[in-house]
Amino acid sequence: MTNEELHAQMVAAMKAKDKTRLSIIRQVMTEVKNIEVNERRDVTEEDVNSMIKRLIKQTSETLEMSKQAGNNQERTDVLTQQVEILESLLPEQVSGDALVALIEKTIAEVGAESRKDMGRVMGALNAATGGNFDKAAAAKEVGARLS
């Protein structure tokens, strides 16, 4: 997601009076601004996506701790909703049949023959998709094909 798309999402959330979505998008935009100010550079789409992934991880960890504590169901529901909103901001992940086809193509391109080549295949998949694929499913599939 680009910075401009993020701004458009913020405007749409304001018009829809969706306070939860608006607060999440503002949080992401604040992080974007921090990178621009602290590193004195323009933010790339990859920066925004990695920032969203980091926020998903942080929010998911907080959600898990909230579930383990077992108190305040309302807080757990809010955190669940925040994770869903953050995930909706990311581009669609490559999975299923598209992932299998990409794995076959990548194995052929890399010339992988054994499990020793699994790291090279996973690295090539990461580069091809920008890290936007189901890593666990991909590792299982690559492992099965290279055994």
Side-chain angles (χ1 to χ4, degrees), residues 35-141:
I35 288 177
E36 289 175 339
V37 170
N38 294 339
E39 298 180 17
R40 293 184 176 91
R41 65 178 176 90
D42 289 333
V43 176
T44 64
E45 187 172 346
E46 187 176 303
D47 290 331
V48 174
N49 289 339
S50 67
M51 185 181 324
I52 292 171
K53 288 177 185 176
R54 189 179 75 240
L55 288 172
I56 288 172
K57 182 179 178 190
Q58 290 172 348
T59 308
S60 295
E61 288 172 356
T62 305
L63 175 62
E64 288 304 314
M65 293 173 100
S66 178
K67 285 180 180 177
Q68 288 175 357
N71 55 3
N72 200 350
Q73 182 63 35
E74 184 178 324
R75 171 90 172 126
T76 304
D77 293 343
V78 168
L79 288 170
T80 303
Q81 185 179 13
Q82 288 177 351
V83 169
E84 290 170 0
I85 291 170
L86 284 167
E87 287 174 345
S88 74
L89 296 176
L90 287 174
E92 190 69 32
Q93 281 201 330
V94 179
S95 61
D97 293 337
L99 181 61
V100 171
L102 184 61
I103 288 171
E104 290 173 358
K105 177 182 167 197
T106 305
I107 288 174
E109 287 175 356
V110 172
E113 297 174 359
S114 68
R115 286 184 90 80
K116 290 181 183 178
D117 300 321
M118 189 166 172
R120 287 191 358 221
V121 173
M122 292 299 287
L125 281 171
N126 199 25
T129 63
N132 200 22
F133 64 100
D134 185 357
K135 290 165 186 59
K140 184 178 178 182
E141 185 70 28

Side-chain angles (χ1 to χ4, degrees), residues 2-35:
T2 64
N3 203 7
E4 293 78 25
E5 291 170 336
L6 202 55
H7 185 72
Q9 291 260 344
M10 184 178 74
V11 170
M14 288 170 132
K15 287 180 179 178
K17 294 183 171 54
D18 186 349
K19 291 181 181 180
T20 306
R21 187 172 191 81
L22 180 61
S23 72
I24 294 295
I25 293 171
R26 281 185 172 156
Q27 182 181 10
V28 172
M29 289 189 74
T30 300
E31 295 289 328
V32 167
K33 196 60 148 173
N34 285 340
I35 288 177

